[in-house]
Amino acid sequence: MATEAAADDVSDTYEQFLAKVKRISNIGNARGVLSWDQEVMMPEDGTPARSQQLSALSAVSHELLTDDEMGEYLDELEAADLSDEQAAVVREVRREYDRATQVSTELVEEISRTTSEALPKWEKAKEEDDFSVFAPVLEDLVELKREYAEQIDPDADPYAVLFAEYEPYLDLETAEETLTRLREELVPLIDDIRESDADLAFDAFDGEFDIDTQEELARDVLDTLGYDWDRGRLDTAPHPFSTGTQYDARVTTRFDESDALGALTSTVHEFGHATYTLGLPDEDYATPLGESRDLTVHESQSRLWENHVGRSEAFWERFLPVMKERFPQIDDVTPQEACEAANEVYEDNLIRVEADELTYHMHIVIRFEIERELIEGELDVEDVPEVWNDKYEQYLGIRPETDAEGCLQDIHWSHGSFGYFPTYSLGSVLAAQLYANAEDDIDDLEGKIREGEFGPLHDWLTENVHRHGSRYTTPDLIEAATGEGFTADYFLDYVTEKYTDLYELE
């Protein structure tokens, strides 16, 4: 009887704890909708009120997470006999609690308010091509994030503390080693490609493409891939993104009338994020079991759909006829030519979100190095444009002529998201590892893509990644899905084989 009573007590405690967790999660989800609205639909002069709204929600969430009751719940439950699922929820909340309790509510509110006010300043600076408009608030954010890292762990590398905000289970050393390996092994491949004499159809989509028709095409590709419109929507934003929950996962993109592929690939990329979110279990909504496993895994889903699916010849055999219906001027383009155009390795591209599959990672390395120097106090904000331009010349052989196409192109620093960028490359690496395993498990996956049968790939990803939410740590999830630890081998083998064949390299 005593054992049963103790079990009942633990069950009651867990239910009370879970109710509190769900309340915190729902406040965060509401904040996410307000942030989406600010980037997509909010009137231009709405910032003063929105910054206060977001700041208030951040403060309430922080106070709920860090109050004495939450600490008591965690202490009691960690000493109890829990199921694997319950233990995973407690583990995830404990990690957030331990970080959050080190940070003052005042600092949380100040960061939230400053990031909300930074967004329109970044937009204005980019529009006017004037870094000085954004520089003062960027300096404030750097200082706030340094203070944030110091409050969490004054003895740790501040950048490592910030990186753990986005990828808590793959350490910064793993990220550095991966980025170093990509830089060392991709640069020679890129050099060989630039020396290649292969005659490829890079001009297949040259011309003007009506913006409204491009939006229709973006909806076509979402239909083709299986986007759930009952739980999502498509809008435009200055910087494409996806956000939401398994009940409401929204996609944004942007259009350029001279670039038919840009909006298409960004839409497929954001679809990958959304389909991960939509694949999370409904029954675990607002708990860690119903939330995604951090940014390396999230980015792996978007890069898998964008690159392994959306840039494949099999995909273009399926989708090119749809594109021709929208744009008859490309009627003579073949699937092979479309594939070649989609996989061009650019010699002069300055924009990360428009980058090819290979030089993309040099964009990430540049941002990683700059923001690490900013956080560690080795670089002054005012020197960012010059250092940015120097690094582009060093790593990519091109130099931005404007701030808008240089250091102002990304939105992340206006969000205070220092430590975010490495997860893009980590996600690309993981995408190749996951896709290789999906190919082993799914009979004739390429043929299914060619026929527009995307269900088997959806099902494989849902079974092996999406449905687990945050039940596993990142290394454990990768091990469960692929049977081995995180490795860059699959990605490097994949791009070497693909581009050696495409560019007819020896």
Side-chain angles (χ1 to χ4, degrees):
M1 294 293 293
T3 302
E4 290 181 6
D8 288 342
D9 288 344
V10 170
S11 178
D12 288 345
T13 299
Y14 184 79
E15 289 304 315
Q16 293 168 20
F17 160 76
L18 197 62
K20 193 179 186 77
V21 169
K22 289 181 177 180
R23 187 179 182 195
I24 294 168
S25 180
N26 279 311
I27 291 171
N29 291 336
R31 192 178 187 281
V33 174
L34 286 179
S35 296
W36 170 88
D37 176 76
Q38 183 175 13
E39 293 191 40
V40 176
M41 299 184 71
M42 189 186 78
E44 184 175 344
D45 290 340
T47 301
R50 184 54 47 86
S51 65
Q52 292 184 50
Q53 294 157 6
L54 293 172
S55 178
L57 289 175
S58 293
V60 171
S61 179
H62 183 75
E63 289 165 358
L64 285 171
L65 177 61
T66 60
D67 66 20
D68 291 342
E69 184 180 54
M70 180 62 83
E72 292 167 2
Y73 284 149
L74 289 168
D75 289 343
E76 181 176 345
L77 291 170
E78 285 176 329
D81 184 15
L82 303 176
S83 69
D84 290 343
E85 290 80 5
Q86 290 173 330
V89 172
V90 171
R91 179 198 69 223
E92 292 301 308
V93 177
R94 167 61 79 179
R95 177 177 61 82
E96 294 183 11
Y97 173 85
D98 285 346
R99 286 175 69 90
T101 51
Q102 303 302 312
V103 181
S104 68
T105 300
E106 292 76 16
L107 180 57
V108 170
E109 288 186 273
E110 181 65 18
I111 290 173
S112 178
R113 181 166 52 250
T114 304
T115 55
S116 183
E117 293 170 353
L119 178 61
K121 292 179 181 178
W122 168 76
E123 292 174 336
K124 181 180 180 182
K126 185 176 181 182
E127 182 179 353
E128 297 179 357
D129 185 28
D130 186 356
F131 181 73
S132 67
V133 173
F134 182 55
V137 72
L138 176 59
E139 191 165 353
D140 290 341
L141 286 170
V142 169
E143 289 298 327
L144 288 169
K145 284 297 185 170
R146 284 179 186 154
E147 184 179 352
Y148 179 83
E150 185 175 4
Q151 287 191 13
I152 290 174
D153 189 344
D155 298 321
D157 176 344
Y159 189 80
V161 174
L162 298 178
F163 173 72
E165 193 89 356
Y166 306 104
E167 183 44 73
Y169 295 114
L170 291 176
D171 58 29
L172 184 59
E173 182 179 357
T174 298
E176 287 183 297
E177 290 174 353
T178 302
L179 289 173
T180 298
R181 188 176 177 195
L182 294 183
R183 184 180 65 228
E184 291 175 348
E185 298 193 31
L186 291 182
V187 168
L189 178 60
I190 293 168
D191 289 342
D192 288 344
I193 287 170
R194 288 178 173 173
E195 294 175 3
S196 168
D197 294 326
D199 184 18
L200 304 180
F202 298 146
D203 60 352
F205 297 110
D206 283 359
E208 298 294 317
F209 297 86
D210 176 70
I211 296 298
D212 291 339
T213 309
Q214 282 197 56
E215 182 172 350
E216 293 170 359
L217 187 67
R219 294 181 182 277
D220 289 338
V221 77
L222 291 172
D223 285 337
T224 299
L225 295 175
Y227 185 53
D228 186 352
W229 292 102
D230 291 334
R231 298 192 181 198
R233 55 181 291 134
L234 173 68
D235 295 276
T236 60
H239 191 99
F241 69 99
S242 174
T243 189
T245 71
Q246 52 266 67
Y247 290 103
D248 177 2
R250 306 178 184 191
V251 168
T252 69
T253 191
R254 64 183 181 187
F255 302 101
D256 179 345
E257 65 179 10
S258 66
D259 180 12
L261 286 181
L264 195 63
T265 54
S266 74
T267 301
V268 175
H269 178 99
E270 299 306 336
F271 164 82
H273 283 302
T275 198
Y276 179 17
T277 303
L278 292 170
L280 297 168
D282 289 356
E283 63 271 20
D284 293 312
Y285 167 73
T287 80
L289 297 178
E291 295 172 350
S292 59
R293 173 72 288 160
D294 302 312
L295 290 185
T296 295
V297 178
H298 226 310
E299 193 62 26
S300 76
Q301 303 306 287
S302 60
R303 298 295 281 176
L304 186 152
W305 284 97
E306 176 190 354
N307 293 326
H308 296 268
V309 176
R311 297 186 194 271
S312 69
E313 187 173 353
F315 171 79
W316 281 105
E317 288 182 19
R318 175 66 183 179
F319 191 70
L320 186 59
V322 178
M323 192 170 182
K324 288 180 178 180
E325 289 180 7
R326 296 293 185 190
F327 295 108
Q329 67 263 42
I330 63 167
D331 190 59
D332 292 337
V333 175
T334 68
Q336 173 64 31
E337 290 171 335
C339 182
E340 290 173 1
N343 287 284
E344 178 181 2
V345 177
Y346 303 111
E347 294 188 10
D348 58 355
N349 177 60
L350 292 162
I351 309 302
R352 177 185 63 84
V353 296
E354 299 171 3
D356 59 80
E357 199 172 7
L358 298 183
T359 61
Y360 180 88
H361 299 285
M362 300 305 101
H363 291 260
I364 300 304
V365 168
I366 290 167
R367 288 152 176 76
F368 168 70
E369 292 179 354
I370 288 176
E371 67 178 20
R372 186 161 193 183
E373 290 176 3
L374 280 172
I375 294 300
E376 294 181 351
E378 298 174 0
L379 174 64
D380 293 333
V381 166
E382 65 181 5
D383 295 327
V384 165
E386 182 178 2
V387 172
W388 181 287
N389 295 346
D390 288 345
K391 286 183 180 292
Y392 261 76
E393 193 161 20
Q394 176 185 356
Y395 290 134
L396 289 166
I398 51 179
R399 191 174 185 88
E401 296 182 359
T402 68
D403 291 341
E405 65 182 7
C407 60
L408 288 173
Q409 65 179 267
D410 289 308
I411 198 172
H412 301 70
W413 290 342
S414 73
H415 292 161
S417 300
F418 302 100
Y420 187 112
F421 282 115
T423 63
Y424 283 121
S425 287
L426 296 176
S428 295
V429 165
L430 179 56
Q433 187 172 349
L434 291 171
Y435 193 80
N437 280 267
E439 283 187 303
D440 288 342
D441 292 345
I442 300 171
D443 183 48
D444 191 19
L445 176 55
E446 182 179 332
K448 288 179 168 58
I449 291 172
R450 185 176 291 109
E451 295 301 318
E453 298 175 13
F454 296 101
L457 182 57
H458 276 288
D459 292 344
W460 191 92
L461 291 169
T462 297
E463 174 65 23
N464 290 281
V465 179
H466 306 168
R467 71 181 179 89
H468 297 298
S470 291
R471 174 177 179 174
Y472 299 116
T473 65
T474 304
D476 287 345
L477 179 62
I478 296 170
E479 182 78 31
T482 70
E484 59 186 324
F486 177 80
T487 173
D489 291 348
Y490 290 94
F491 174 77
L492 290 166
D493 288 347
Y494 151 72
V495 294
T496 299
E497 179 180 353
K498 174 179 176 177
Y499 287 95
T500 296
D501 181 58
L502 184 67
Y503 278 85
E504 302 172 4
L505 306 177
E506 294 182 1

